[in-house]
Amino acid sequence: MNRRSLLKAGMLLTLALSVPSLAVERLDFKDMEKKAEIDVIYHADFPQEKRFKTMLRNITNHLSVYNFNPFKIHIVVVAHGAGAKFFLKDLKGTKWEKEPIDQKAIKAKLEELRQYGVEFYVCGITVKRLKLRDKLYDFVKIVPSGVGSVAYLQKLGYAYIKVQ
Protein backbone atom coordinates (compact mmCIF):
# COMPACT_ATOMS: atom_id res chain seq x y z
CA MET A 1 0.00 0.00 0.00
CA ASN A 2 1.48 3.37 -0.98
CA ARG A 3 1.57 6.47 1.23
CA ARG A 4 -1.38 8.11 -0.55
CA SER A 5 -3.62 5.06 -0.04
CA LEU A 6 -2.56 4.81 3.59
CA LEU A 7 -3.29 8.51 4.16
CA LYS A 8 -6.70 8.19 2.48
CA ALA A 9 -7.56 5.13 4.62
CA GLY A 10 -6.52 7.01 7.78
CA MET A 11 -8.69 10.01 6.84
CA LEU A 12 -11.70 7.75 6.16
CA LEU A 13 -11.24 5.99 9.50
CA THR A 14 -11.01 9.32 11.31
CA LEU A 15 -14.16 10.55 9.58
CA ALA A 16 -16.03 7.33 10.37
CA LEU A 17 -15.10 7.55 14.06
CA SER A 18 -16.20 11.20 14.28
CA VAL A 19 -19.70 10.61 12.88
CA PRO A 20 -22.23 9.86 15.62
CA SER A 21 -23.97 6.51 15.47
CA LEU A 22 -27.42 6.52 13.94
CA ALA A 23 -28.39 3.37 15.79
CA VAL A 24 -31.07 3.62 18.41
CA GLU A 25 -29.53 3.38 21.87
CA ARG A 26 -30.60 0.73 24.37
CA LEU A 27 -30.66 1.56 28.07
CA ASP A 28 -30.77 -0.74 31.07
CA PHE A 29 -32.20 0.36 34.39
CA LYS A 30 -28.65 0.73 35.72
CA ASP A 31 -28.04 3.41 33.06
CA MET A 32 -30.82 5.62 34.46
CA GLU A 33 -30.05 8.25 37.09
CA LYS A 34 -31.14 11.57 38.50
CA LYS A 35 -29.66 14.39 36.45
CA ALA A 36 -30.98 17.67 37.84
CA GLU A 37 -32.55 19.32 40.86
CA ILE A 38 -35.97 18.34 39.50
CA ASP A 39 -36.35 15.12 37.50
CA VAL A 40 -39.70 14.34 35.88
CA ILE A 41 -41.31 11.47 33.97
CA TYR A 42 -44.06 12.21 31.47
CA HIS A 43 -45.88 8.94 30.81
CA ALA A 44 -47.24 8.40 27.26
CA ASP A 45 -49.22 5.21 26.74
CA PHE A 46 -52.24 6.75 25.04
CA PRO A 47 -53.22 6.89 21.33
CA GLN A 48 -54.67 10.40 20.98
CA GLU A 49 -52.54 12.81 18.93
CA LYS A 50 -54.19 15.86 20.50
CA ARG A 51 -53.39 14.57 23.97
CA PHE A 52 -49.78 13.86 22.96
CA LYS A 53 -49.38 17.39 21.56
CA THR A 54 -50.86 18.76 24.79
CA MET A 55 -48.26 16.79 26.72
CA LEU A 56 -45.46 18.28 24.57
CA ARG A 57 -46.84 21.78 25.19
CA ASN A 58 -46.97 21.04 28.94
CA ILE A 59 -43.34 19.92 28.82
CA THR A 60 -42.35 23.20 27.13
CA ASN A 61 -44.24 25.14 29.80
CA HIS A 62 -42.62 23.05 32.53
CA LEU A 63 -39.15 23.75 31.14
CA SER A 64 -39.92 27.48 30.86
CA VAL A 65 -40.52 27.74 34.63
CA TYR A 66 -36.88 26.71 35.06
CA ASN A 67 -35.64 28.94 32.21
CA PHE A 68 -34.94 25.85 30.09
CA ASN A 69 -31.95 25.12 32.36
CA PRO A 70 -31.04 21.39 32.16
CA PHE A 71 -29.21 21.62 35.50
CA LYS A 72 -32.46 22.66 37.18
CA ILE A 73 -34.87 20.30 35.41
CA HIS A 74 -34.52 17.06 33.50
CA ILE A 75 -37.52 15.50 31.77
CA VAL A 76 -37.92 11.99 30.40
CA VAL A 77 -40.89 10.90 28.30
CA VAL A 78 -41.57 7.18 28.70
CA ALA A 79 -43.76 5.67 25.98
CA HIS A 80 -45.22 2.21 25.54
CA GLY A 81 -48.16 0.65 23.80
CA ALA A 82 -50.01 3.16 21.61
CA GLY A 83 -47.73 5.98 22.82
CA ALA A 84 -44.85 4.47 20.85
CA LYS A 85 -46.41 5.52 17.52
CA PHE A 86 -45.43 9.16 18.12
CA PHE A 87 -41.74 8.20 17.96
CA LEU A 88 -41.83 6.48 14.58
CA LYS A 89 -40.31 7.84 11.38
CA ASP A 90 -42.90 6.00 9.35
CA LEU A 91 -46.23 4.39 10.23
CA LYS A 92 -46.28 2.13 7.14
CA GLY A 93 -46.50 -1.51 8.07
CA THR A 94 -47.67 -0.74 11.61
CA LYS A 95 -51.09 -1.07 13.19
CA TRP A 96 -51.33 2.74 13.03
CA GLU A 97 -50.67 2.95 9.28
CA LYS A 98 -54.07 4.48 8.44
CA GLU A 99 -54.07 7.08 11.22
CA PRO A 100 -53.67 10.68 10.03
CA ILE A 101 -50.92 11.71 12.47
CA ASP A 102 -49.00 14.92 11.81
CA GLN A 103 -45.61 13.24 12.18
CA LYS A 104 -43.72 16.22 10.77
CA ALA A 105 -45.05 18.62 13.44
CA ILE A 106 -44.52 16.10 16.22
CA LYS A 107 -40.94 15.36 15.16
CA ALA A 108 -40.16 19.09 14.99
CA LYS A 109 -41.42 19.54 18.55
CA LEU A 110 -39.51 16.49 19.79
CA GLU A 111 -36.33 17.86 18.19
CA GLU A 112 -36.92 21.22 19.88
CA LEU A 113 -37.38 19.59 23.28
CA ARG A 114 -34.20 17.54 22.82
CA GLN A 115 -32.26 20.82 22.74
CA TYR A 116 -33.26 21.29 26.39
CA GLY A 117 -32.17 17.83 27.47
CA VAL A 118 -35.53 16.07 27.25
CA GLU A 119 -35.03 12.35 26.68
CA PHE A 120 -37.43 9.94 25.00
CA TYR A 121 -37.65 6.33 26.12
CA VAL A 122 -39.72 3.69 24.31
CA CYS A 123 -40.59 0.31 25.78
CA GLY A 124 -38.47 -2.54 24.46
CA ILE A 125 -41.35 -4.98 24.86
CA THR A 126 -43.56 -2.80 22.63
CA VAL A 127 -40.73 -2.37 20.11
CA LYS A 128 -40.11 -6.12 19.92
CA ARG A 129 -43.79 -7.15 19.86
CA LEU A 130 -44.70 -4.68 17.10
CA LYS A 131 -41.34 -4.89 15.23
CA LEU A 132 -40.68 -1.13 15.47
CA ARG A 133 -36.90 -0.98 15.98
CA ASP A 134 -36.06 0.20 12.46
CA LYS A 135 -38.88 2.73 12.50
CA LEU A 136 -37.83 4.69 15.61
CA TYR A 137 -36.24 8.13 15.42
CA ASP A 138 -32.52 7.86 16.09
CA PHE A 139 -32.75 10.00 19.24
CA VAL A 140 -35.14 7.59 20.98
CA LYS A 141 -33.73 5.23 23.59
CA ILE A 142 -35.13 1.74 24.01
CA VAL A 143 -35.67 0.68 27.62
CA PRO A 144 -36.37 -2.86 28.86
CA SER A 145 -39.97 -2.04 29.82
CA GLY A 146 -42.04 1.14 29.72
CA VAL A 147 -43.87 0.56 32.99
CA GLY A 148 -40.74 -0.91 34.56
CA SER A 149 -38.83 2.27 33.65
CA VAL A 150 -41.57 4.46 35.09
CA ALA A 151 -41.38 2.55 38.39
CA TYR A 152 -37.57 2.55 38.45
CA LEU A 153 -37.34 6.28 37.75
CA GLN A 154 -39.88 6.98 40.48
CA LYS A 155 -37.71 4.93 42.86
CA LEU A 156 -34.84 7.27 41.93
CA GLY A 157 -36.96 10.28 42.87
CA TYR A 158 -38.47 11.33 39.55
CA ALA A 159 -41.86 13.04 39.77
CA TYR A 160 -44.62 11.39 37.71
CA ILE A 161 -46.94 13.24 35.34
CA LYS A 162 -49.54 11.85 32.96
CA VAL A 163 -51.56 14.26 30.86
CA GLN A 164 -55.28 13.45 30.84
Side-chain angles (χ1 to χ4, degrees), residues 29 41 78 145-158 160:
F29 294 133
I41 307 158
V78 178
S145 161
V147 293
S149 296
V150 167
Y152 187 80
L153 290 168
Q154 284 181 297
K155 176 184 164 245
L156 293 178
Y158 278 66
Y160 175 86

Side-chain angles (χ1 to χ4, degrees), residues 92-140:
K92 289 181 186 140
T94 72
K95 62 194 262 179
W96 308 292
E97 185 171 11
K98 296 183 190 239
E99 292 187 25
I101 297 172
D102 187 353
Q103 290 178 283
K104 187 176 180 181
I106 290 172
K107 183 181 183 198
K109 188 63 178 174
L110 296 175
E111 291 281 3
E112 176 189 323
L113 292 172
R114 281 185 61 222
Q115 294 177 23
Y116 303 112
V118 176
E119 293 184 274
F120 305 101
Y121 297 172
V122 175
C123 173
I125 296 168
T126 300
V127 169
K128 184 177 180 181
R129 183 173 42 92
L130 300 177
K131 298 176 177 77
L132 302 176
R133 183 167 177 89
D134 294 334
K135 294 187 172 292
L136 293 169
Y137 294 125
D138 63 347
F139 54 82
V140 170

Side-chain angles (χ1 to χ4, degrees), residues 9-19:
M11 288 172 36
L12 287 174
L13 180 61
T14 301
L15 180 62
L17 294 175
S18 66
V19 174

Side-chain angles (χ1 to χ4, degrees), residues 33-151:
E33 61 188 12
K34 285 189 59 60
K35 295 184 178 180
E37 289 178 32
I38 305 291
D39 292 283
V40 183
I41 307 158
Y42 277 82
H43 188 181
D45 64 344
F46 45 83
Q48 302 89 355
E49 179 180 8
K50 183 177 179 185
R51 186 173 171 192
F52 189 80
K53 287 180 173 178
T54 297
M55 181 189 75
L56 297 180
R57 190 172 52 253
N58 287 353
I59 291 171
T60 300
N61 294 342
H62 202 159
L63 291 166
S64 73
V65 172
Y66 296 92
N67 296 314
F68 299 90
N69 183 337
F71 297 107
K72 297 276 185 190
I73 186 165
H74 172 243
I75 295 176
V76 173
V77 176
V78 178
H80 60 94
K85 70 182 175 185
F86 301 110
F87 299 95
L88 302 179
K89 297 180 267 192
D90 183 6
L91 296 177
K92 289 181 186 140
T94 72
K95 62 194 262 179
W96 308 292
E97 185 171 11
K98 296 183 190 239
E99 292 187 25
I101 297 172
D102 187 353
Q103 290 178 283
K104 187 176 180 181
I106 290 172
K107 183 181 183 198
K109 188 63 178 174
L110 296 175
E111 291 281 3
E112 176 189 323
L113 292 172
R114 281 185 61 222
Q115 294 177 23
Y116 303 112
V118 176
E119 293 184 274
F120 305 101
Y121 297 172
V122 175
C123 173
I125 296 168
T126 300
V127 169
K128 184 177 180 181
R129 183 173 42 92
L130 300 177
K131 298 176 177 77
L132 302 176
R133 183 167 177 89
D134 294 334
K135 294 187 172 292
L136 293 169
Y137 294 125
D138 63 347
F139 54 82
V140 170
K141 296 175 183 175
I142 298 174
V143 293
S145 161
V147 293
S149 296
V150 167

